[in-house]
Amino acid sequence: MKNLLSALSPALLALTLLLPLGLQAEEPAPTETADRLPRVVILATGGTIAGAGAGAADSATYQAAKVPVEQLLANVPQLPALAEVRGEQVFQIASESFGNEQLLALGRRVAELAEDPEVDGIVITHGTDTLEETAYFLTLVERTDKPIVLVGSMRPGTALSADGPLNLYNAVAVAGNLQSRGKGVLVTLNDEIHSGRDVSKALNIRTDAFQSPWGPLGMVVEGKSYWFRLPAKRHTLNSEFDIRQIASLPRVDIAYAYGNLDGTAYRAFAQAGARAIIHAGTGNGSVAAALVPTLQALRQEGLQIVRASRADRGGFVLRNAEQPDDKYDWLVAHDLNPQKARILAMVALTRTQDSRELQRIFWEY
């Protein structure tokens, strides 16, 4: 038996080294490396986490994007115990004003920092309205295993029970933790760690606004990360996309389905130059019978049609269910909500126009 164990030991050690860090450790890995604290850069873009209200009781009425990054850091004096932190003010806007130009500029800055050997992790403070879209975009285009963590808040820092300071503390803790490497872009709010691919803003007003249909990846408790699952879809280092190779993003629009819908919005988007339209359909991405001829005609003109679901707690669209997608040469968004399907369509269209390739991308990402 002793000889058998000796023979197996090298193989068992090799297998252990191949496991993700989160599966190797029963206890949270220390935040710091052997000789120093991790170095984390905070990129500030505005949002509620940088907002201010007229009074302490104003938790829902306030102006976003007012507080500079220096003040955000000063509001959390415990950060130096977690990491060597420095901040950059990239934008100062409410996130509903985030456009493709901001996505590209932020993505390029993140890529620059990820290549810097003096940077161990990156935190991005962001408004919650479009945080999920930015998180998914970075998931697709950042070629690094370094932690990239997006964080926001549901209440301004001036509110009685502001959630921003603790959210930021947790984000820095996650970004500086060795166990966070290789897990893709992450989002931390309300003590939870979510995948940037899955998470969406499901509520407003409440601090538990961000949810993932397949559950969070883990939790942060008193500055320590606890992991429960790993992302299954392609991301970051395993992605075929690279922000350094994307000069611009094509126009992709979303049309929301409802009773009595006609083709007006779809034709308008096509005339405005859309390369794809995300159909936010009811149920399984359903398309009303009266709308089918319009979408068929637009596809014949070269526009990509992507069926998604407007169900906000995990819509799942099956190919060739409800509609004969193979026959019409339409795409399905798989489990991505319409806003995330738009992000993936924009990125994918920078590489290919082939519908079969595009559908492969929707399955894999």
Side-chain angles (χ1 to χ4, degrees), residues 279 284-285 287 306-308 317-318 321-323 325 330-333:
H279 170 74
N284 184 21
V287 181
V306 184
R307 290 197 303 117
V317 181
L318 298 174
E322 297 289 345
Q323 293 294 330
D325 298 298
W330 294 350
L331 308 172
V332 297

Side-chain angles (χ1 to χ4, degrees), residues 193-212:
I193 309 170
H194 290 268
S195 165
R197 178 195 185 270
D198 296 342
V199 75
S200 289
K201 186 176 181 178
L203 308 166
N204 63 0
I205 304 296
R206 287 165 37 178
T207 56
D208 61 342
F210 278 73
Q211 301 175 8
S212 296

Side-chain angles (χ1 to χ4, degrees), residues 7 26 34 63 102-103 166 184 189 198 216 223 233 256 276 307 338 344 355-356:
E26 294 182 1
Q63 287 187 311
Q102 284 77 24
L103 285 177
L166 180 56
L189 286 97
D198 296 342
K233 298 293 187 176
Y256 194 89
R307 290 197 303 117
L344 181 54
S355 60
R356 289 172 295 183

Side-chain angles (χ1 to χ4, degrees), residues 119-204:
V119 175
D120 299 310
I122 301 163
V123 170
I124 301 166
T125 63
H126 199 290
T128 58
D129 281 353
T130 60
L131 184 151
E132 66 195 79
E133 297 172 46
T134 300
Y136 189 40
F137 177 74
L138 298 176
T139 295
L140 298 171
V141 303
E142 298 299 335
R143 303 280 293 168
T144 183
D145 69 341
K146 291 182 180 180
I148 301 169
V149 184
L150 278 82
V151 63
S153 73
M154 296 305 297
R155 295 169 179 165
T158 52
L160 281 171
S161 54
D163 54 328
L166 180 56
N167 287 346
L168 182 56
Y169 178 85
N170 287 343
V172 171
V174 172
N177 194 315
L178 291 174
Q179 285 192 332
S180 301
R181 281 181 172 258
K183 292 182 171 68
V185 175
L186 305 169
V187 174
T188 60
L189 286 97
N190 202 41
D191 298 334
E192 294 181 328
I193 309 170
H194 290 268
S195 165
R197 178 195 185 270
D198 296 342
V199 75
S200 289
K201 186 176 181 178
L203 308 166
N204 63 0

Side-chain angles (χ1 to χ4, degrees), residues 197-280:
R197 178 195 185 270
D198 296 342
V199 75
S200 289
K201 186 176 181 178
L203 308 166
N204 63 0
I205 304 296
R206 287 165 37 178
T207 56
D208 61 342
F210 278 73
Q211 301 175 8
S212 296
W214 318 122
L217 300 182
M219 291 189 65
V220 190
V221 181
E222 296 181 348
K224 294 182 179 180
S225 304
Y226 295 83
W227 301 92
F228 306 117
R229 70 179 184 92
L230 298 175
K233 298 293 187 176
R234 292 177 65 177
H235 60 77
T236 53
L237 277 182
N238 293 321
S239 176
E240 65 200 82
F241 308 108
D242 189 335
I243 185 63
R244 293 164 293 191
Q245 299 173 2
I246 300 175
S248 62
L249 293 168
R251 177 168 182 152
V252 176
D253 290 297
I254 302 171
Y256 194 89
Y258 51 88
N260 203 44
L261 175 68
D262 63 18
T264 302
Y266 300 83
R267 289 189 292 268
F269 286 142
Q271 292 171 4
R275 297 265 297 282
I277 294 178
I278 311 299
H279 170 74

Side-chain angles (χ1 to χ4, degrees), residues 60-77:
T61 304
Y62 56 88
Q63 287 187 311
K66 290 295 181 183
V67 179
V69 65
E70 295 81 10
Q71 188 60 50
L72 289 180
L73 301 186
N75 289 344
V76 192

